[in-house]
Amino acid sequence: MSTDPNPTADPREVLAYLLKHANLKLTALMDAALEPLGIDGKDFGALRVLAHREPSSQLQVAQTLGIDRTTMVALLDVLERKGIVTRRPDPADRRRNVVELTEQGMRTYEAAQVAYGKAESAFLAAISPAATDQFRQTLRTLVEK
């Protein structure tokens, strides 16, 4: 039996480990940047969806974010209490709620965009702009296939 360390035993050589820890690092930077605005990364995701669409249903936002309806309702409850979103019954289908950013929500979103941009830049600072572009393209390819 060999006592040589197995190089494949190093978790830093496993793609799942690297992706998980890269995500944890980016999430920590993002949440710290968004904290002064009273939101976190999950909130920011919802704001991004709402800022770039006509009024959406709760279900549409949940589907876009890839989260279940119960989680979406809880997230929107918090954002509504903070005055960031409003919900109202859809006049065409009273079973649906239409969700929109408030004026305060739009200001929060705009500030969050800036804060997120700084966090993302800090995360990517160790690689060149060309490597950053390639990294994004590679991840898009993997996610979309």
Side-chain angles (χ1 to χ4, degrees):
M1 177 173 217
S2 172
T3 59
D4 290 337
N6 181 352
T8 60
D10 184 348
R12 292 170 295 177
E13 298 301 320
V14 177
L15 182 59
Y17 173 92
L18 292 170
L19 289 171
K20 174 185 174 185
H21 286 273
N23 181 55
L24 289 171
K25 183 176 180 179
L26 178 57
T27 299
L29 288 168
M30 176 179 53
D31 284 345
L34 297 173
E35 183 180 22
L37 303 172
I39 63 171
D40 63 17
K42 291 186 278 304
D43 300 333
F44 180 54
L47 296 182
R48 285 183 62 112
V49 170
L50 292 167
H52 295 291
R53 286 191 162 180
E54 295 296 318
S56 296
S57 73
Q58 290 178 180
L59 181 59
Q60 288 171 316
V61 177
Q63 288 172 336
T64 301
L65 294 173
I67 60 176
D68 65 75
R69 288 186 296 189
T70 304
T71 302
M72 185 81 255
V73 168
L75 183 108
L76 292 175
D77 285 346
V78 171
L79 292 175
E80 191 171 36
R81 279 193 299 273
K82 291 178 181 181
I84 293 173
V85 301
T86 60
R87 285 184 282 193
R88 59 181 166 74
D90 184 339
D93 182 352
R94 309 266 312 151
R95 297 169 295 172
R96 291 175 27 157
N97 279 325
V98 173
V99 184
E100 296 178 276
L101 291 179
T102 62
E103 286 184 31
Q104 177 187 342
M106 188 53 83
R107 287 190 304 272
T108 300
Y109 166 71
E110 290 166 356
Q113 278 283 93
V114 172
Y116 174 79
K118 290 177 183 177
E120 185 179 276
S121 292
F123 175 74
L124 295 168
I127 62 175
S128 71
T132 295
D133 291 343
Q134 182 60 54
F135 181 56
R136 283 183 203 283
Q137 184 56 48
T138 300
L139 289 174
R140 263 190 232 103
T141 299
L142 292 171
V143 168
E144 293 170 0
K145 295 281 173 174

